[in-house]
Amino acid sequence: MRQSARTILALTRRTMNELVRVPTGALPGVLAPTIFMLGLSSVFGKAAELPGFHAPDFRTFIVPVGLIQGAGFTGAAIGVNLARDIEQGWFDRLLVAPVSRPSLLTGIVLSASLRALLPGTFLLCVAFALGVHWPGIDGLLIAYALFMGMAAAMACFAVAVALKFRTQQAAPLMQMGNFIASLFTVSYAPKALLAGWLATVATYNPVTYVLGGVRQGFVSEVTWQETWHAFAAVFGLVFLLSMLAMYGMSRVGVNE
Amino acid sequence: MSISLWRVSYALARRALRNSLRRPQFLAPLVIFPSLFLAVNVGGLHRSTDLPGFPAVHGFLDFQLAAALTQSLLLGGIAQGIAAALEIELGFFDRLAVAPIPRVAIVFGRLGATAVISAFQVAYFLILGLVFGAHVASGPGGALLTLVLGVLAGIGFGAIGQALALRARSAATLQGIFPLVFVILFISTAFFPRRLLESPIDTIARYNPLSYLADGIRNPIIATVDAKPVLEGLLAGGAITLFGVTVAVLALRGRLREA
């Protein structure tokens, strides 16, 4: 148990070191969600004037999407880093070390959650500076917990992809997963304003509920119902996708 | 263009095109990401056509096709830059540099491949749009005009991508400018009409050549051809291409001097 905790801590510290020592590598992932938030709100801002659009303004409505996207970008970056480690042989050395594979996965996934704090906090600072509605302490804490959970879920997905393809060239596939999960939801408009097919997809996409949980404090008030739906969705995603990643972990080295 | 320059450019274009087709993992994102964006934009904001000031269009999909196309062509420019940077990293560029060929053919050859890929991109989005209910209001002639504008823009973006590759010499650096594509698009009229953009983006969009290019590509799709936006689009596309080719050739000269 203690050995596992030390492994998880070491892997988390390694990811954090990357941020400090190669900041340029992390810069696009930190800036991209903010660029999207600023761009989308400047371009589609007038959409908030449509009847049925219940939000103070479009920027406030779109900030939670930026948070979820930032979490997804971070998860994908963790997957790309793992693919690089596999290509360069570093991951093979981890595999022959006396460390359990669930510990390896936990270390990688936990570092994604912590790393997501950077793009999320940067985006929120810019958003609040531009006058985005303050969600309250409870709304903010729920938002942080949920987007960190989403980063863990997306990291599990990206790890599964990295272990399957074992190359950095699979990066677009990881990004695509993030893109579909975060945008095929109520990202741009309330469900009543979506096209029929997108409303249906959004209903069955669990990220819709996570987004609803992150968004609630920004656009109205925190409610118990939205909160537990969001946490149930994020826990479900982490559970299912970690099973997928663990399956990939267990297959590494078999029949090679 | 001398026969030698033409023949070498043609051979290099064929090589670049074949290489691109052999690595579909580099080509697929050029259409997949803009297609996903198109789906989300249209599905999420299709009611935007009800906004006061929105031009009369058959549907929001018709309006958004030009945005997806412009985005795809910009990504294509980066992909061509990455391919050129990989050739520098892997040493193929050095072998070309010492070969008895007109050096400028290195740039023109890849631009030839870019033109063909751009034509495919335009055709893909027009077909996608028609399948999902869009209309090309100007008919086949309008579609042809969109193709011409798209290919012209694609060549320009490809040339800029090559110039960046020749300066940076690193595929990773080119990959890092990926978010810039979105910045440039967001400060143009590619996604929304200018009169509905928030300030100060509406003012910036006025001076962004990409706005005129997107509007030029869009005009034959959403209305009967209007000379003004189409000519402005051609002018913007021509200017981008002229600028791109000039900086690419200058970057090539600089690179050869250093070699």
Side-chain angles (χ1 to χ4, degrees):
Chain A
M1 184 71 186
R2 205 169 150 194
Q3 179 65 28
S4 294
R6 283 172 64 182
T7 306
I8 292 166
L9 190 67
L11 285 170
T12 309
R13 229 165 55 200
R14 179 172 179 259
T15 307
M16 296 303 131
N17 278 348
E18 267 187 4
L19 285 180
V20 178
R21 293 176 188 171
V22 198
T24 49
L27 210 58
V30 174
L31 295 180
T34 304
I35 290 172
F36 269 91
M37 182 271 289
L38 291 173
L40 289 174
S41 57
S42 301
V43 171
F44 297 128
K46 287 279 192 293
E49 292 173 12
L50 285 168
F53 208 108
H54 304 298
D57 57 81
F58 194 75
R59 184 163 288 150
T60 299
F61 190 80
I62 212 80
V63 160
V65 180
L67 291 174
I68 297 289
Q69 272 191 327
F73 284 136
T74 307
I78 291 289
V80 175
N81 285 357
L82 176 64
R84 181 202 59 201
D85 288 345
I86 292 171
E87 282 177 343
Q88 295 179 351
W90 161 251
F91 191 66
D92 287 338
R93 281 192 272 166
L94 281 180
L95 288 176
V96 295
V99 177
S100 72
R101 294 187 180 193
S103 302
L104 288 179
L105 181 64
T106 309
I108 293 168
V109 169
L110 189 65
S111 59
S113 284
L114 293 176
R115 200 174 151 163
L117 287 170
L118 202 59
T121 306
F122 180 71
L123 181 136
L124 284 172
C125 288
V126 174
F128 291 136
L130 292 173
V132 161
H133 183 252
W134 171 252
I137 292 292
D138 52 349
L140 196 64
L141 288 176
I142 289 168
Y144 263 93
L146 287 171
F147 81 69
M148 287 172 77
M150 270 307 292
M154 293 316 295
C156 287
F157 170 74
V159 164
V161 173
L163 290 169
K164 172 77 181 165
F165 294 98
R166 307 171 70 81
T167 167
Q168 293 181 77
Q169 288 185 346
L173 202 55
M174 300 172 197
Q175 291 291 10
M176 218 175 292
N178 165 39
F179 195 90
I180 292 170
S182 62
L183 291 184
F184 283 70
T185 59
V186 288
S187 53
Y188 281 10
K191 203 184 280 181
L193 295 182
L194 299 181
W197 67 268
L198 187 56
T200 308
V201 173
T203 303
Y204 293 105
N205 182 353
V207 182
T208 298
Y209 302 96
V210 185
L211 182 60
V214 177
R215 184 177 274 157
Q216 56 179 333
F218 288 90
V219 298
S220 58
E221 285 186 354
V222 173
T223 65
W224 167 242
Q225 195 186 5
E226 284 226 75
T227 306
W228 87 257
H229 280 173
F231 277 100
V234 88
F235 281 126
L237 279 169
V238 171
F239 177 74
L240 287 176
L241 293 170
S242 66
M243 290 294 113
L244 188 68
M246 210 45 241
Y247 175 75
M249 280 274 187
S250 67
R251 301 295 299 166
V252 176
V254 177
N255 297 329
E256 278 183 5
Chain B
M1 193 185 272
S2 71
I3 291 175
S4 171
L5 176 58
W6 163 250
R7 284 177 60 185
V8 176
S9 299
Y10 178 68
L12 287 174
R14 277 186 59 178
R15 179 186 175 277
L17 191 61
R18 212 177 298 143
N19 272 354
S20 296
L21 295 175
R22 280 180 189 160
R23 290 183 295 194
Q25 69 270 33
F26 290 129
L27 278 184
L30 306 188
V31 290
I32 292 178
F33 277 110
S35 301
L36 290 173
F37 239 118
L38 179 66
V40 173
N41 288 352
V42 174
L45 296 165
H46 69 119
R47 295 273 297 276
S48 299
T49 50
D50 297 341
L51 287 167
F54 203 96
V57 287
H58 171 261
F60 196 51
L61 173 61
D62 302 38
F63 190 87
Q64 283 292 311
L65 270 181
L69 248 169
T70 314
Q71 187 185 9
S72 176
L73 293 168
L74 273 167
L75 291 175
I78 292 186
Q80 288 305 319
I82 290 171
L86 282 174
E87 292 195 337
I88 295 170
E89 284 180 8
L90 298 173
F92 181 71
F93 177 87
D94 291 335
R95 279 190 277 162
L96 282 180
V98 295
I101 57 165
R103 262 77 176 274
V104 79
I106 298 171
V107 170
F108 287 172
R110 184 159 291 285
L111 290 185
T114 308
V116 176
I117 293 169
S118 301
F120 275 114
Q121 287 169 277
V122 176
Y124 166 83
F125 278 103
L126 286 178
I127 292 168
L128 186 78
L130 291 173
V131 167
F132 285 96
H135 289 64
V136 179
S138 302
L144 196 65
L145 207 52
T146 301
L147 183 78
V148 170
L149 271 161
V151 170
L152 184 65
I155 293 171
F157 299 145
I160 293 170
Q162 273 200 79
L164 291 170
L166 287 161
R167 298 292 301 174
R169 301 169 209 171
S170 150
T173 307
L174 266 289
Q175 272 167 345
I177 65 167
F178 179 80
L180 265 184
V181 167
F182 292 96
V183 176
I184 299 167
L185 272 175
F186 283 141
I187 55 171
S188 75
T189 57
F191 288 113
F192 234 42
R194 189 161 67 213
R195 74 187 80 155
L196 294 180
L197 295 178
E198 301 279 312
S199 181
I201 300 292
D202 55 344
T203 309
I204 300 169
R206 186 188 295 271
Y207 299 101
N208 184 350
L210 214 57
S211 297
Y212 299 96
L213 186 66
D215 290 343
I217 289 174
R218 177 177 293 129
N219 180 260
I221 299 173
I222 64 167
T224 48
V225 176
D226 180 356
K228 188 172 178 278
V230 171
L231 285 175
E232 283 175 347
L234 281 169
L235 203 64
I240 291 169
T241 302
L242 188 66
F243 169 76
V245 172
T246 306
V247 291
V249 171
L250 288 175
L252 175 73
R253 281 196 186 153
R255 172 92 184 96
L256 290 170
R257 255 199 311 272
E258 290 169 21

